Coordinates of all heavy atoms in Angstrom, one line a residue:
V194 N -107.5 -8.2 -83.2 CA -108.8 -7.7 -82.8 C -108.4 -6.4 -81.9 O -108.7 -5.3 -82.4 CB -109.7 -8.6 -82.2 CG1 -111.0 -7.9 -81.8 CG2 -110.0 -9.8 -83.2
R195 N -107.9 -6.7 -80.8 CA -107.7 -5.7 -79.8 C -106.8 -4.6 -80.2 O -107.0 -3.4 -80.1 CB -107.3 -6.3 -78.4 CG -108.5 -7.0 -77.7 CD -108.1 -7.3 -76.2 NE -107.8 -6.2 -75.5 CZ -107.1 -6.2 -74.4 NH1 -106.6 -7.3 -73.9 NH2 -106.9 -5.1 -73.7
L196 N -105.6 -5.0 -80.6 CA -104.5 -4.0 -81.0 C -105.0 -3.3 -82.2 O -104.8 -2.1 -82.3 CB -103.3 -4.7 -81.2 CG -102.0 -3.8 -81.4 CD1 -100.7 -4.4 -80.8 CD2 -101.7 -3.5 -82.9
L197 N -105.6 -4.1 -83.2 CA -106.0 -3.4 -84.5 C -107.2 -2.4 -84.1 O -107.2 -1.3 -84.7 CB -106.5 -4.5 -85.4 CG -106.8 -4.0 -86.8 CD1 -105.8 -3.5 -87.6 CD2 -107.5 -5.2 -87.6
T198 N -108.1 -2.7 -83.3 CA -109.2 -1.9 -82.9 C -108.6 -0.6 -82.3 O -109.0 0.6 -82.7 CB -110.1 -2.6 -82.0 OG1 -110.7 -3.7 -82.6 CG2 -111.3 -1.6 -81.5
A199 N -107.6 -0.7 -81.4 CA -107.1 0.5 -80.7 C -106.3 1.2 -81.7 O -106.3 2.5 -81.8 CB -106.2 0.0 -79.7
L200 N -105.5 0.7 -82.7 CA -105.0 1.4 -83.7 C -106.0 2.2 -84.6 O -105.6 3.3 -84.9 CB -104.2 0.4 -84.6 CG -103.1 0.9 -85.5 CD1 -102.0 1.6 -84.8 CD2 -102.6 -0.2 -86.5
N201 N -107.0 1.7 -84.8 CA -108.1 2.5 -85.7 C -108.7 3.5 -84.8 O -109.1 4.6 -85.4 CB -109.1 1.5 -86.2 CG -108.6 0.8 -87.4 OD1 -107.9 1.3 -88.2 ND2 -109.0 -0.5 -87.6
V202 N -108.9 3.4 -83.5 CA -109.4 4.4 -82.7 C -108.5 5.7 -82.7 O -108.9 6.7 -82.8 CB -109.5 3.9 -81.3 CG1 -109.6 5.1 -80.3 CG2 -110.6 2.9 -81.1
I203 N -107.2 5.4 -82.8 CA -106.2 6.5 -82.8 C -106.1 7.1 -84.2 O -105.9 8.4 -84.2 CB -104.8 6.0 -82.2 CG1 -105.0 5.5 -80.8 CG2 -103.7 6.9 -82.5 CD1 -103.8 4.7 -80.3
F204 N -106.1 6.3 -85.3 CA -105.9 6.8 -86.5 C -107.0 7.3 -87.4 O -107.0 8.0 -88.3 CB -105.0 5.8 -87.4 CG -103.6 5.9 -87.2 CD1 -103.0 5.2 -86.2 CD2 -102.7 6.6 -88.0 CE1 -101.6 5.2 -86.0 CE2 -101.4 6.7 -87.7 CZ -100.8 6.0 -86.7
T205 N -108.3 6.9 -87.0 CA -109.5 7.4 -87.6 C -109.5 8.9 -87.3 O -109.4 9.3 -86.3 CB -110.7 6.7 -87.2 OG1 -110.5 5.2 -87.3 CG2 -111.9 7.1 -87.7
P206 N -109.9 9.7 -88.4 CA -110.4 9.3 -89.7 C -109.2 9.3 -90.7 O -109.4 9.1 -91.9 CB -111.4 10.4 -90.1 CG -110.7 11.7 -89.4 CD -110.2 11.2 -88.1
D207 N -108.0 9.6 -90.3 CA -106.8 9.7 -91.3 C -106.6 8.4 -92.0 O -106.2 8.3 -93.2 CB -105.5 10.1 -90.6 CG -105.6 11.6 -90.3 OD1 -106.7 12.2 -90.3 OD2 -104.4 12.1 -90.0
A208 N -106.8 7.2 -91.3 CA -106.6 5.9 -91.9 C -107.5 4.8 -91.2 O -107.7 5.0 -90.0 CB -105.2 5.5 -91.8
V209 N -108.0 3.9 -91.9 CA -108.6 2.8 -91.3 C -108.0 1.5 -91.8 O -107.8 1.2 -93.0 CB -110.2 2.7 -91.8 CG1 -110.9 1.6 -91.2 CG2 -110.8 4.1 -91.3
F210 N -107.4 0.7 -90.8 CA -106.7 -0.4 -91.1 C -107.5 -1.6 -91.0 O -108.3 -1.8 -90.0 CB -105.5 -0.6 -90.1 CG -104.5 0.5 -90.2 CD1 -104.5 1.5 -89.2 CD2 -103.6 0.7 -91.3 CE1 -103.7 2.6 -89.3 CE2 -102.8 1.7 -91.3 CZ -102.7 2.7 -90.3
S211 N -107.5 -2.5 -92.1 CA -108.5 -3.6 -92.1 C -107.9 -4.9 -91.5 O -108.6 -5.9 -91.1 CB -108.8 -3.9 -93.5 OG -107.7 -4.1 -94.3

Side-chain angles (χ1 to χ4, degrees):
V194 177
R195 287 188 61 198
L196 190 147
L197 186 64
T198 299
L200 195 63
N201 281 324
V202 167
I203 294 166
F204 274 87
T205 299
D207 284 21
V209 177
F210 301 105
S211 56

